Amino acid sequence: MTILFELEDLARTRFASAPLPMYELVFTVHSGDWDRLLLPQIRPLAELVRPGRFIPDFFNSAKPDFDEAVCQVLEVPSTRVRDQIASMLGTTSPWLRSFAAGTPAARQDLRSAFRSGFRDLLGPNWSQTRQTFEAEVRLRSSQAVTRGLGDLLGHLHPSISWTSPALHVELGWDTEISLRGTGMLIVPVLNGLTRPAVAMFAEPQPLLFYPVTAPQPSGASLELALGRTRTLVLRALTSERTTTELAKHVGISLPTASQHATALRTAGFVSTHRNGRSVRHRLTRRGWELLN
């Protein structure tokens, strides 16, 4: 995608002031990388946001407050919802037909799915998401001041480049769009997104998303307190892993990985849940705070 900028567009292009919870949640569900034990709680959202399909654009909400974002999505007219479902999702379930028809019960189902999804998928690490987002924006702001806006735009991600007066984003298809004075809202994303994305029909201005990886702290003092292996285990669990995945990632035996995960769970730094025959571990909020 080629996005043409005019002088007014450059003047109005800015970064989001905080992580956007609606998009963080939708990208997470769209990635498919989440515990299927949560499906009963978020099924309406999972039916609308399917891996391998386009995300319906009625999810567009740049509000940093999650409750306000949910209300904005649920207030989208039924005609627009129906058209989006028909063109992007194809075969529909009874619930999707009910939602497209605008029934209050279906809207309430989606509201509940939003709340459960945010609580279970994003809530435990939301403090870390905010911290990493703010650090990313500070870094990019400094880059814009010292190296210029064009250099900033061209170095957001390897799939994004800048050749005045156009921003080029590798999306898998070719099209050329002019912003016509609206500028863009640039949104670093911490969850679910693996490559840049664009929401051209968002209001009041289009959105450009790019993935950000949370930094892995060095923490020599942490190694002194916990030991090198246990610190490596703690850092490895910034991404959710099974005990087997943890052992392979750190390079230790399965019993050793289980022992360290148990110790960290007992201390409150790691949470553990069962998914079928496997046991999965991830950092708690206290674990993130320890790393940072």
Side-chain angles (χ1 to χ4, degrees), residues 6-279:
E6 300 174 3
L7 182 59
E8 193 171 1
D9 294 311
L10 290 172
R12 293 183 174 178
T13 293
R14 60 196 177 91
F15 273 83
S17 61
L20 304 185
M22 179 58 67
Y23 285 107
E24 295 281 349
L25 177 58
V26 167
F27 286 136
T28 297
V29 175
H30 189 254
S31 73
D33 186 20
W34 43 275
D35 187 351
R36 286 304 181 272
L37 290 176
L38 298 175
L39 182 58
Q41 286 75 44
I42 67 168
R43 187 180 297 278
L45 179 56
E47 287 199 40
L48 288 166
V49 183
R50 303 177 189 174
R53 298 290 188 98
F54 287 108
I55 298 172
D57 68 19
F58 56 74
F59 283 107
N60 289 340
S61 178
K63 293 185 178 295
D65 181 87
F66 186 61
D67 290 335
E68 292 181 3
V70 169
C71 289
Q72 184 175 17
V73 172
L74 294 178
E75 289 170 359
V76 172
S78 296
T79 52
R80 182 179 170 193
V81 171
R82 185 166 54 249
D83 291 344
Q84 288 279 302
I85 290 176
S87 63
M88 293 187 172
L89 300 180
T91 303
T92 60
S93 69
W95 181 85
L96 279 173
R97 289 193 293 271
S98 177
F99 180 67
T103 64
R107 297 287 171 118
Q108 184 57 44
D109 288 342
L110 184 56
R111 184 188 299 274
S112 297
F114 279 141
R115 290 174 175 170
S116 295
F118 184 84
R119 180 191 66 229
D120 296 332
L121 295 174
L122 301 181
N125 298 327
W126 190 246
S127 177
Q128 173 67 16
T129 294
R130 291 188 64 91
Q131 291 174 19
T132 304
F133 180 96
E134 291 166 359
E136 172 70 11
V137 172
R138 286 196 299 269
L139 172 65
R140 298 301 183 177
S141 299
S142 175
Q143 183 179 346
V145 170
T146 59
R147 297 163 61 179
L149 185 58
D151 187 89
L152 164 67
L153 292 172
H155 289 87
L156 292 172
H157 188 270
S159 296
I160 301 174
S161 60
W162 169 261
T163 305
S164 184
L167 189 69
H168 307 281
V169 186
E170 296 178 16
L171 296 177
W173 67 88
D174 293 328
T175 188
E176 184 174 286
I177 296 174
S178 177
L179 293 176
R180 302 185 183 281
T182 63
M184 294 195 83
L185 184 67
I186 303 174
V187 186
V189 177
L190 278 295
N191 297 280
L193 197 65
T194 58
R195 63 180 187 177
V198 176
M200 290 303 303
F201 301 105
E203 295 291 344
Q205 61 187 155
L207 309 177
L208 171 64
F209 306 96
Y210 68 96
V212 177
T213 302
Q216 301 296 314
S218 56
S221 59
L222 190 59
E223 290 190 9
L224 289 175
L226 298 181
R228 183 174 183 275
T229 300
R230 191 158 294 176
T231 301
L232 290 174
V233 168
L234 191 70
R235 291 175 183 157
L237 294 179
T238 54
S239 297
E240 186 175 278
R241 303 181 193 275
T242 66
T243 307
T244 300
E245 291 168 344
L246 178 61
K248 290 181 178 179
H249 183 85
V250 180
I252 55 180
S253 69
L254 191 60
T256 300
S258 178
Q259 178 185 9
H260 283 300
T262 298
L264 291 169
R265 183 177 68 251
T266 302
F269 300 130
V270 167
S271 65
T272 298
H273 66 273
R274 183 169 293 278
N275 183 9
R277 294 184 177 181
S278 64
V279 175

